[in-house]
Amino acid sequence: MPAQTITSSKPKVLIITTGGTIASVNGKPMIDGPALVQAVPTLKEYAEIEVMVFSKIGSSQMTPGHWLRLGKSINEYLQKDKDLAGIVITHGTDTMEETAFFLNLTIQSQKPVVLVGSMRSSNEISADGPANLLNAVRVVIDQQATGQGVLVVLNEHIGAARNIFKTHNRNVHTFHSPELGYLGFVDPDAIKFYQKVIHPHTHQSEFDLSDMDQLPVVEIVQDFTGFDESILKYFLNKGIDGLIIQTFAGGRMSAGMRKGLIKATEKQLPIVVTSSVANGRIIGQLPAEVPAIFASDLRGNKARILLMLALTQTRGLGEIKEIFERY
Ligand code: ASP
């Protein structure tokens, strides 16, 4: 009797582990990838799981270099292994929204990619990691998740990478997109999607990582009452590629920020102005002399990511503005 190759009828899911509280004991990310998966035996009922250990760091230690390497790895895996149903990435919650948004703009595939984390370490009472990991796998193998861009799944809520952000320092229900809501929910009996993503993402995006060795350097300056323009001089003179100004609602800014930006004109530095206020598009009047555009409804950390990627395509403010209107 020839040996039978037992092919699993279950979908194949790659779990890429990066660290974070979900892989932590007493707050230290030390559980290695395979152990994290072995701790949730129920996973095997849903999918054939492969594990790739990418890093073992808290997500506050993530850098644009990590994003670039992770995005390239994911594109390679999805390109090479056509049997993959999708990818789950375990990640810290501190910068999860950033990694998710970067991947949302750079993964060249319609297959589901889900980021998952936890707010409690594995040793804490009612640790949320195992259930979140199981739910992430359940979402990634569900047909409804295809073509919805990169997703964030925690506490049975499914969020879109572009809109979701961390809102609570401790609570297990920390990821919200207050005005734009969730795409769907992980119910005990089924995955239920109620919304679709409308902004272009993943396979619809023009940002191609394949020839990128490093990302443009974009930094963020927070405006505040009594801001001193000399702070801006530091950023304008350090040779960065772009700058995000996070200021008050409506693009209103402190006198020091305004003075500093007006002097910035000779630097020809692409500047994007966003608001510290959590919700809604920023609209208003920028000083005519200031070479800047508004960031739509993106907050500072995500506006930075979009500007980094926009600068791989153009340095023209008009083209950058068009990119911000589209993504
Ligand atoms: N407390 C964070 C977490 O939930 C730590 C981190 O982001 O790595 O993962």
Side-chain angles (χ1 to χ4, degrees):
M1 173 78 121
Q4 269 182 314
T5 46
I6 303 158
T7 47
S8 157
S9 59
K10 293 193 178 66
K12 186 160 68 166
V13 170
L14 172 66
I15 296 181
I16 298 177
T17 62
T18 70
T21 295
I22 192 169
S24 293
V25 178
N26 293 324
K28 289 195 185 55
M30 58 208 289
I31 304 174
D32 74 3
L36 196 63
V37 170
Q38 277 139 29
V40 191
T42 319
L43 287 173
K44 287 198 296 291
E45 292 175 24
Y46 291 90
E48 191 195 314
I49 304 286
E50 288 186 358
V51 182
M52 186 271 234
V53 178
F54 176 79
S55 59
K56 272 169 82 173
I57 57 174
S59 71
S60 53
Q61 308 309 304
M62 278 283 170
T63 64
H66 286 102
W67 295 338
L68 192 52
R69 207 156 47 82
L70 183 58
K72 286 185 170 203
S73 299
I74 289 171
N75 281 330
E76 272 160 39
Y77 271 109
L78 289 169
Q79 185 54 39
K80 267 195 312 214
D81 186 350
K82 299 297 181 201
D83 296 336
L84 265 186
I87 294 179
V88 166
I89 303 164
T90 60
H91 191 289
T93 56
D94 291 347
T95 63
M96 182 180 286
E97 65 209 56
E98 297 184 44
T99 302
F101 188 50
F102 177 81
L103 296 175
N104 193 55
L105 293 169
T106 55
I107 288 177
Q108 295 303 317
S109 167
Q110 291 210 56
K111 288 190 175 175
V113 172
V114 169
L115 275 83
V116 64
S118 73
M119 293 301 285
R120 295 177 184 145
S121 278
S122 61
N123 57 293
E124 292 185 70
I125 295 174
S126 305
D128 53 330
N132 286 348
L133 180 54
L134 177 59
N135 288 342
V137 169
R138 287 182 57 203
V139 170
V140 98
I141 63 174
D142 191 288
Q143 189 49 36
Q144 298 168 86
T146 301
Q148 292 306 310
V150 171
L151 305 172
V152 169
V153 172
L154 261 93
N155 203 38
E156 301 173 0
H157 288 66
I158 305 168
R162 180 191 185 280
N163 305 330
I164 203 93
F165 56 91
K166 185 171 180 177
T167 65
H168 201 289
N169 282 303
R170 293 179 329 287
N171 194 290
V172 291
H173 192 44
T174 182
F175 280 97
H176 291 260
S177 38
E179 292 200 322
L180 304 175
Y182 297 98
L183 294 178
F185 305 94
V186 183
D187 291 346
D189 62 333
I191 305 297
K192 299 303 282 180
F193 273 72
Y194 295 92
Q195 324 261 10
K196 283 193 178 305
V197 173
I198 58 164
H199 288 89
H201 56 74
T202 58
H203 62 294
Q204 302 152 339
S205 143
E206 73 228 56
F207 306 121
D208 179 357
L209 297 180
S210 36
D211 298 332
M212 271 187 226
D213 296 324
Q214 65 178 38
L215 289 161
V217 176
V218 174
E219 297 188 348
I220 302 176
V221 184
Q222 174 65 50
D223 197 2
F224 52 86
T225 48
F227 181 92
D228 184 297
E229 65 176 284
S230 62
I231 301 170
L232 212 46
K233 260 197 217 108
Y234 163 74
F235 287 93
L236 294 174
N237 295 333
K238 61 184 293 199
I240 56 178
D241 300 302
L243 188 61
I244 302 292
I245 305 290
Q246 186 151 283
T247 186
F248 312 123
R252 291 177 291 278
M253 45 186 74
S254 63
M257 179 64 82
R258 174 183 289 266
K259 256 192 287 179
L261 283 180
I262 288 171
K263 288 184 187 158
T265 42
E266 74 271 6
K267 292 283 176 193
Q268 293 304 313
L269 183 70
I271 294 172
V272 174
V273 175
T274 183
S275 162
S276 308
V277 174
N279 296 300
R281 283 175 54 235
I282 178 168
I283 45 181
Q285 202 53 48
L286 286 170
E289 319 86 314
V290 171
I293 61 161
F294 279 127
S296 178
D297 62 327
L298 292 178
R299 300 166 71 233
N301 57 358
K302 290 185 180 176
R304 171 180 179 237
I305 292 166
L306 185 52
L307 180 55
M308 287 165 100
L309 291 169
L311 289 169
T312 65
Q313 310 291 313
T314 174
R315 288 185 58 82
L317 215 47
E319 290 92 340
I320 293 172
K321 181 172 166 41
E322 192 276 327
I323 287 173
F324 268 81
E325 277 158 8
R326 203 147 33 91
Y327 288 93

